[in-house]
């Protein structure tokens, strides 16, 4: 046992051996951009569309000097990322519907072959109604949503060379449906 009142670091036994990760350096560059367009075809109707571009470049180098880069991972995605419509029924009430693309890279998660896993992909649909009091002191919204996603990582174990390893893509297709009620307002003095 260690005496915490008269602590001496020399009393702590040194480990006989320890394992280090073989990954020495991880260089990752992610460039992304998006452009959005907000249109009002006629006064009560508003449309919003967005387009996204992503580029990822990742390089992993072993800790041993004689070893070059272990692998180079590149990922590129571009495409529409959001589309939504809002219709103002009157100054206080509006209804809306939207679609959003889900794209989340798994470049930090390593499989047994030392490669990154495929990105999480899917779609998100939402529709609802919003209320805003004339003075802006009270807001409420009620929405229905549906989220569908694939390519979640499952942990399958690790090895001595790389404790961040090893994952594999799950077979599951994750679906989430729900209702969201939000109330917000200011208290009166």
């Amino acid at each position: 046992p260690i005496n915490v009142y008269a602590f001496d670091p020399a009393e702590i036994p040194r480990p006989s051996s320890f394992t280090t990760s073989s990954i020495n350096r991880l260089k990752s560059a992610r460039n992304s951009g998006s452009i959005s367009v907000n249109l009002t075809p006629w006064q009560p109707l508003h449309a919003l569309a967005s387009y996204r571009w992503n580029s990822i470049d990742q390089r992993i180098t072993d800790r041993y000097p004689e070893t070059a880069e272990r692998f180079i991972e590149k990922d590129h995605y571009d495409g529409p990322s959001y589309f939504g419509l809002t219709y103002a029924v009157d100054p206080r009430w509006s209804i809306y519907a939207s679609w959003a693309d889900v794209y989340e890279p798994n470049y930090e998660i390593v499989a047994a072959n030392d490669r990154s896993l495929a990105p999480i992909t899917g779609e998100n649909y939402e529709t609802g109604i919003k209320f805003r009091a004339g003075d802006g002191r009270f807001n409420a919204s009620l929405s229905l949503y549906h989220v569908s996603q694939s390519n979640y990582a499952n942990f399958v174990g690790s090895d001595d060379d790389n404790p961040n390893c090893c994952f594999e893509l799950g077979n599951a297709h994750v679906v989430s449906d729900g209702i969201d009620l939000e109330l917000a307002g200011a208290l009166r003095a």
Side-chain angles (χ1 to χ4, degrees):
I2 297 172
N3 183 348
V4 294
Y5 300 107
F7 179 71
D8 180 8
E11 292 179 6
I12 300 173
R14 293 194 173 272
S16 58
S17 68
F18 58 92
T19 304
T20 61
S21 171
S22 65
I23 294 178
N24 185 32
R25 237 180 337 174
L26 169 66
K27 288 184 185 178
S28 184
R30 182 175 185 172
N31 299 307
S32 61
S34 66
I35 186 167
S36 297
V37 177
N38 193 349
L39 302 173
T40 304
W42 72 89
Q43 190 48 43
L45 183 66
H46 304 278
L48 177 65
S50 180
Y51 186 88
R52 178 178 58 212
W53 171 82
N54 284 314
S55 177
I56 298 166
D57 184 6
Q58 174 177 285
R59 299 164 190 271
I60 292 182
T61 307
D62 284 343
R63 67 184 162 129
Y64 304 107
E66 66 272 8
T67 313
E69 291 176 333
R70 186 183 326 171
F71 75 86
I72 299 172
E73 191 83 24
K74 293 188 180 221
D75 187 16
H76 177 77
Y77 168 80
D78 59 347
S81 59
Y82 180 85
F83 183 74
L85 290 173
T86 301
Y87 182 79
V89 178
D90 66 29
R92 297 184 310 162
W93 292 92
S94 62
I95 56 176
Y96 71 94
S98 67
W99 165 87
D101 179 51
V102 175
Y103 180 88
E104 183 62 36
N106 275 328
Y107 60 86
E108 297 165 343
I109 301 176
V110 180
N113 64 357
D114 284 336
R115 305 298 260 169
S116 296
L117 296 181
I120 296 172
T121 58
E123 295 180 308
N124 178 20
Y125 298 92
E126 184 174 339
T127 186
I129 186 167
K130 292 183 179 183
F131 172 79
R132 182 175 188 270
D135 60 1
R137 294 179 61 90
F138 178 73
N139 298 314
S141 67
L142 176 66
S143 64
L144 304 172
Y145 63 87
H146 171 83
V147 180
S148 173
Q149 297 179 348
S150 298
N151 294 341
Y152 277 92
N154 289 334
F155 180 71
V156 293
S158 63
D159 62 33
D160 290 339
D161 290 334
N162 185 357
N164 295 327
C165 183
C166 292
F167 291 83
E168 67 182 9
L169 289 180
N171 294 330
H173 183 78
V174 179
V175 174
S176 177
D177 295 312
I179 299 172
D180 184 48
L181 174 63
E182 184 175 330
L183 303 171
L187 299 174
R188 293 183 185 213

